[in-house]
Short mmCIF file of all heavy atoms in Angstrom, two decimals:
data_model
loop_
_atom_site.label_atom_id
_atom_site.label_comp_id
_atom_site.label_asym_id
_atom_site.label_seq_id
_atom_site.Cartn_x
_atom_site.Cartn_y
_atom_site.Cartn_z
N LYS A 14 3.81 38.06 10.29
CA LYS A 14 2.61 38.86 10.77
C LYS A 14 2.39 39.89 9.67
O LYS A 14 1.27 40.12 9.23
CB LYS A 14 2.77 39.37 11.99
CG LYS A 14 2.93 38.53 13.20
CD LYS A 14 3.12 39.10 14.60
CE LYS A 14 4.48 39.91 14.65
NZ LYS A 14 5.66 39.04 14.51
N SER A 15 3.49 40.67 9.48
CA SER A 15 3.26 41.90 8.70
C SER A 15 2.94 41.48 7.21
O SER A 15 2.08 42.07 6.58
CB SER A 15 4.49 42.82 8.64
OG SER A 15 4.86 43.20 9.86
N ASP A 38 3.60 48.74 15.82
CA ASP A 38 4.89 48.82 16.08
C ASP A 38 5.48 49.90 15.19
O ASP A 38 5.09 50.35 14.20
CB ASP A 38 5.65 47.73 16.27
CG ASP A 38 6.06 46.93 14.83
OD1 ASP A 38 6.26 47.84 13.98
OD2 ASP A 38 6.16 45.77 14.71
N SER A 42 7.39 48.16 8.58
CA SER A 42 7.45 46.94 7.71
C SER A 42 6.38 46.89 6.55
O SER A 42 6.58 46.23 5.63
CB SER A 42 7.48 45.67 8.42
OG SER A 42 7.74 45.82 9.82
N ASP A 132 -1.69 45.22 12.14
CA ASP A 132 -0.43 44.39 12.26
C ASP A 132 0.00 44.54 13.70
O ASP A 132 0.61 45.60 13.95
CB ASP A 132 0.60 44.77 11.13
CG ASP A 132 1.98 44.18 11.26
OD1 ASP A 132 1.99 43.05 11.93
OD2 ASP A 132 2.88 44.74 10.90
MG1 MG B 402 6.07 42.76 11.44
#
Side-chain angles (χ1 to χ4, degrees):
K14 296 177 295 296
S15 302
D38 76 30
S42 348
D132 173 23

